[in-house]
Amino acid sequence: MPLKYELIKKDKYTNARVGVIHTASGDIPTPIFMPVGTVGTVKTMTVDDLKEMGAKIILGNTYHLYLKPGMDIMKKAGGLHKFMNWDRPILTDSGGFQVFSLADNRKISEDGVMFRSHIDGSKHFFTPEKSIEIQNDIHSDIMMSFDECVDANASYDYVKNSMERTLRWAKRGLDYHKANSHPDQSLFGIVQGGMFKDLREISARETVAMDFDGYSIGGLSVGETKEEMIDILNFTTPLLPEDKPRYNMGVGTPDYLFESFEAGIDMADCVLPTRIARNGTALTSEGRVVIKNATYKEDFSPLDPECDCYTCSNYSRAYLRHLVNAKEILGARLLSYHNLYFLLKMCENIREAIMNDSFLDYKKEFYEKYGY
Ligand SMILES: O=c1[nH]cnc2cc3nc(NCc4cccs4)[nH]c3cc12
C-alpha cells in the first residue's frame, strides 16, 4: 500500500500540524527533518548513529546513485535499504535537480534531458519514466516526479513553459508509476512556478488534480530572498490538500524550518548540517559556532550546553577545534552527528509544542536564544 498520512493535531494559532506518515518501511512523525544520504550514506554517519539520533527517514539521490554505484549493483543488492543496511523509510529525489545543478552540457527537450556525467563525462538521457524506473530499482519508499527546478531569477515566459512541461512530465511519470512500481511505493508531485503566484496556482491545481500520494514545493531555496521564499511558501502550501504530506525541498537552516512548518509543511531536507560540519561549523542553541575560532582554544565546555547528544556529552569545544584544525576525520564526524541531532531534536520539540498549542512560544524562545 502507498503511504497514508494521519493528521493528529493542528496548532491553534498557525497552520503548523502534527501527523504521522505510515509507510511499509515504518512510521514517520511530522514535522520532520530528513538527513540527506546522497550516494547511500549520510556522510560520516553509520545507520546506528542515525537511529540513535532519532532519524526516521533519509534521502537518496537518483542522479548520484544511477551514476555510482549504478543500477546493476543496486538491483543485485536488492535495493538501497539492503545495500546500506537502513531498514527505515527512504525518500529519493528524481534526478532532475541534480542534472541541472551538477551535470555537464545538458540538453532539455519535451522527451527528457540529455546530460553528461559530472564524474566521467559519459552521456545519459533521463525521462520521467526512466526516473521512476531508477527509483524503483532503489526500492525508494517515497519517490519524486521528474521536474525542472528553474532558478530564482528566470523570466516569466521561461518559468511558464518549464512549469507546463513539468506538469506533462508529472503525468507521464505517474502513469509509468501506476503500471510499474511496487504497491508499497509512493510518488509525490512537485509544484513549480518560480516566484510567480499565478504560475504557482496553476501548477498546484493541476498537480493536485493528478492525485499524488503527497506534494513537494519545488523551485525554492535556489537563491531567492528569504522574503520571497516565505511569500511563495505561504501562498502555495494552502493550495495543497490537508490529508496528504507536504514537503519543502532543500530546507534548511533552523529559521527556514520553523517558517516551513508554520506554513503547514510536514517534511524538509537539506545537506546543510553535514556540509557545514565538514567545514567546522556547528548549529547550537545559542547560534552558529565556528569551532576553528581562537575563542575556543581553551574552552573545555561542551559544544552546546543544552544538548545531550554523544558529541556534547563526551567532548569539549577545545578538542573539537583541535580535530578540525588538524583536519582529523573525527572532527567532521562529531560535528555532523551533533548538527543532525540538533535539527532532529528541534523537530521533536516543535511536534511537542504543536501538541500544546505553543508553537509560536517555542519559536520565539528558540529565535531569541539562537540570535535570530
Ligand atoms: O525544485 C526542486 N525539485 C527537485 N529537487 C529540488 C531540490 C532542492 N534543493 C534546494 N535547495 C537546497 C540546495 C542544495 C544544493 C544546492 S541548493 N532547492 C531544491 C528544489 C528542488
Side-chain angles (χ1 to χ4, degrees):
M1 286 292 289
L3 67 81
K4 283 293 292 169
Y5 174 73
E6 181 190 355
L7 174 58
I8 292 180
K9 173 88 170 52
K10 291 160 76 167
D11 180 57
K12 200 169 174 185
Y13 306 106
T14 70
N15 289 330
R17 75 239 187 100
V18 164
V20 179
I21 302 172
H22 300 285
T23 79
S25 298
D27 289 350
I28 306 158
T30 61
I32 191 75
F33 177 77
M34 306 183 286
V36 176
T38 307
V39 291
T41 157
V42 177
K43 291 182 172 29
T44 74
M45 295 290 100
T46 66
V47 289
D48 289 340
D49 292 331
L50 293 169
K51 288 186 178 177
E52 185 185 84
M53 69 172 66
K56 301 294 182 190
I57 175 171
I58 62 167
L59 252 76
N61 278 127
T62 296
Y63 169 83
H64 291 84
L65 291 164
Y66 165 80
L67 293 174
K68 201 180 277 190
M71 288 304 114
D72 184 41
I73 299 284
M74 189 60 71
K75 282 187 277 194
K76 284 172 180 160
L80 184 56
H81 293 86
K82 287 189 181 146
F83 194 42
M84 68 179 290
N85 190 30
W86 172 256
D87 61 0
R88 293 183 178 181
I90 293 174
L91 182 148
T92 44
D93 200 338
S94 60
F97 183 79
Q98 284 74 30
V99 164
F100 288 102
S101 56
L102 284 172
D104 298 323
N105 47 41
R106 62 235 168 235
K107 193 169 171 3
I108 190 166
S109 64
E110 182 62 29
D111 198 17
V113 188
M114 180 80 74
F115 65 93
R116 287 193 178 279
S117 159
H118 70 290
I119 298 170
D120 62 10
S122 53
K123 208 168 176 181
H124 303 273
F125 189 57
F126 270 6
T127 64
E129 296 83 3
K130 178 73 179 168
S131 172
I132 298 295
E133 182 191 8
I134 298 166
Q135 295 180 77
N136 286 347
D137 291 344
I138 292 170
H139 289 203
S140 173
D141 295 286
I142 302 179
M143 304 189 281
M144 291 302 123
S145 297
F146 191 66
D147 65 329
E148 182 187 6
C149 172
V150 294
D151 60 46
N153 46 31
S155 72
Y156 182 87
D157 285 350
Y158 187 87
V159 173
K160 182 171 183 295
N161 290 324
S162 169
M163 179 271 287
E164 288 165 351
R165 182 172 49 217
T166 286
L167 284 171
R168 295 191 295 272
W169 283 355
K171 182 69 173 70
R172 283 170 50 189
L174 182 59
D175 290 346
Y176 185 89
H177 164 65
K178 284 175 178 172
N180 297 280
S181 301
H182 188 282
D184 286 344
Q185 294 182 283
S186 304
L187 179 62
F188 279 22
I190 303 184
V191 176
Q192 293 291 350
M195 302 300 135
F196 306 104
K197 288 179 181 172
D198 59 331
L199 300 182
R200 283 280 175 184
E201 181 160 9
I202 293 165
S203 179
R205 195 170 3 95
E206 305 277 312
T207 304
V208 170
M210 293 183 216
D211 192 21
F212 285 94
D213 299 308
Y215 301 92
S216 305
I217 299 182
L220 292 180
S221 299
V222 286
E224 76 282 4
T225 65
K226 181 175 177 180
E227 289 66 30
E228 283 174 319
M229 194 287 282
I230 293 171
D231 187 30
I232 295 296
L233 177 72
N234 288 335
F235 175 80
T236 310
T237 307
L239 303 176
L240 304 176
E242 260 202 356
D243 63 343
K244 299 278 178 73
R246 300 140 167 190
Y247 166 27
N248 192 8
M249 308 183 92
V251 162
T253 49
D255 56 340
Y256 273 48
L257 287 166
F258 268 100
E259 295 298 338
S260 297
F261 298 149
E262 185 170 343
I265 292 292
D266 306 299
M267 308 155 78
D269 83 282
C270 196
V271 292
L272 177 106
T274 41
R275 183 170 290 179
I276 64 172
R278 294 195 297 281
N279 301 330
T281 297
L283 302 171
T284 80
S285 50
E286 291 158 3
R288 286 193 181 203
V289 166
V290 180
I291 202 67
K292 279 187 271 193
N293 285 352
T295 330
Y296 307 113
K297 194 171 181 179
E298 297 176 11
D299 182 343
F300 297 101
S301 69
L303 181 58
D304 184 343
E306 301 205 350
C307 181
D308 61 353
C309 83
Y310 174 78
T311 300
C312 296
S313 307
N314 290 286
Y315 301 99
S316 68
R317 289 170 170 181
Y319 179 66
L320 292 167
R321 178 177 179 277
H322 159 62
L323 292 179
V324 169
N325 283 348
K327 295 188 178 19
E328 281 296 330
I329 297 167
L330 183 60
R333 176 165 154 71
L334 291 173
L335 289 177
S336 293
Y337 187 100
H338 165 78
N339 284 352
L340 288 165
Y341 184 99
F342 180 84
L343 291 181
L344 289 163
K345 181 62 78 180
M346 188 185 86
C347 290
E348 190 182 308
N349 294 339
I350 285 173
R351 294 195 294 269
E352 198 178 308
I354 294 168
M355 293 306 288
N356 307 322
D357 289 324
S358 59
F359 173 86
L360 286 176
D361 300 331
Y362 177 58
K363 177 185 173 188
K364 185 171 180 296
E365 177 201 328
F366 184 100
Y367 274 38
E368 275 166 7
K369 204 176 295 176
Y370 194 84
Y372 276 131

